[in-house]
Amino acid sequence: EAGVVQSPRYKIIEKKQPVAFWCNPISGHNTLYWYLQNLGQGPELLIRYENEEAVDDSQLPKDRFSAERLKGVDSTLKIQPAELGDSAVYLCASGLQGLSEQYFGPGTRLTVT
Amino acid sequence: DAKTTQPPSMDCAEGRAANLPCNHSTISGNEYVYWYRQIHSQGPQYIIHGLKNNETNEMASLIITEDRKSSTLILPHATLRDTAVYYCIVLSGSARQLTFGSGTQLTVLP
C-alpha cells in the first residue's frame, strides 16, 4: 500500500515569493492534516480536513497561508508571500475518520532566503 | 488534553531492550496514551496506543501503570534503525489533534 505522498521534497525560494506544497493521502483516508515542524521541535497542526471540509484551521495564519482539498482527496498548501520565518518542514498526514492514528508523509523542507 | 513529560535523550545498546518513560500525571479517564516516533528526515510514524491495559504489537509494547499517571514504551530488541525521536501524546478518544512535545531522542549504540 502506498503511503502519503508529498511533493516537492525540498524547496528553496526567496522571501516574498509564493510557494505551494502538494499532498496525496493514503487511498481511502478521508481525514487530511497539514503540520509545520521547526528545527528541533515537534510538529504543530496547521489545518485538518474531513473530506473536503476544513474542520480545524484555527492554527493556520490566514493572512499568508491557504489550503484547499477540492475533491476530498489530494490537497495543496500555499504560502504567499513567504517570509524568512516560514523556513521549516511541512508535513502532511492522513487518517480514517473517527480514528486518531495518523500516517505521515516525508514532508517538504522549505528554505526561504 | 493532558501534558506529558519525557526525558530529552536516552541511549540503548543494540540488541537490548529500550524502555522509554513518559509521565502524564494529569491524564483523565477518557484519554488515551499514544506513541509516535520520527526518524531523521522522515515524517512521524505511529507506534502504538492504549487506554488502561498493556498493549503489544509487532513494533513495541506499551505498559501503563495502574493509576495511569505514567507509561513506558518498550522496544524489546533495539536496532540501529530504532534511533529516532519518540513522542508520547495523550488525547481523548474524540480528539483528532495530535499535540507533539519535544519527545525523547533515543540513540541505539552499536
Side-chain angles (χ1 to χ4, degrees):
Chain A
E1 176 183 285
V4 176
V5 179
Q6 291 189 248
S7 69
R9 289 295 313 276
Y10 305 91
K11 188 73 175 179
I12 301 174
I13 61 171
E14 294 183 347
K15 62 181 180 182
K16 301 184 181 180
Q17 295 301 306
V19 65
F21 315 122
W22 177 79
C23 172
N24 186 252
I26 292 172
S27 178
H29 283 190
N30 45 17
T31 306
L32 185 146
Y33 311 77
W34 282 103
Y35 288 84
L36 176 154
Q37 185 171 26
N38 289 307
L39 187 65
Q41 299 181 23
E44 302 169 33
L45 181 70
L46 289 173
I47 189 169
R48 172 169 67 93
Y49 283 92
E50 297 286 353
N51 299 303
E52 63 273 13
E53 181 182 0
V55 296
D56 183 357
D57 63 355
S58 58
Q59 304 301 315
L60 189 72
K62 299 181 182 63
D63 56 337
R64 297 183 300 107
F65 286 66
S66 65
E68 61 182 15
R69 193 185 185 200
L70 295 176
K71 297 184 178 179
V73 181
D74 54 354
S75 175
T76 303
L77 178 68
K78 299 178 181 178
I79 308 175
Q80 182 171 13
E83 298 178 352
L84 295 176
D86 296 330
S87 295
V89 175
Y90 292 82
L91 293 159
C92 179
S94 70
L96 292 170
Q97 192 169 10
L99 298 179
S100 294
E101 294 94 284
Q102 298 179 22
Y103 299 86
F104 286 78
T108 296
R109 181 176 297 277
L110 173 68
T111 301
V112 182
T113 63
Chain B
D1 296 325
K3 182 178 178 179
T4 62
T5 303
Q6 299 177 256
S9 64
M10 293 181 62
D11 292 341
C12 175
E14 188 177 19
R16 306 297 293 268
N19 298 284
L20 293 100
C22 179
N23 284 319
H24 31 78
S25 59
T26 61
I27 192 170
S28 59
N30 68 340
E31 290 183 317
Y32 289 75
V33 180
Y34 277 76
W35 283 84
Y36 280 74
R37 74 179 182 183
Q38 188 170 21
I39 296 170
H40 184 63
S41 296
Q42 297 184 21
Q45 176 189 22
Y46 166 80
I47 302 174
I48 198 168
H49 75 279
L51 182 63
K52 294 181 182 179
N53 300 321
N54 299 337
E55 302 288 344
T56 296
N57 63 20
E58 64 278 4
M59 290 183 67
S61 294
L62 174 60
I63 308 299
I64 303 173
T65 58
E66 192 168 346
D67 63 7
R68 302 209 323 122
K69 293 184 177 182
S70 65
S71 60
T72 301
L73 179 74
I74 301 173
L75 307 178
H77 305 286
T79 70
L80 298 179
R81 289 175 293 181
D82 292 322
T83 293
V85 177
Y86 287 76
Y87 297 99
C88 170
I89 300 166
V90 171
L91 74 167
S92 66
S94 60
R96 297 293 170 259
Q97 177 174 343
L98 294 175
T99 301
F100 291 83
S102 299
T104 296
Q105 171 67 58
L106 174 69
T107 301
V108 181
L109 304 172

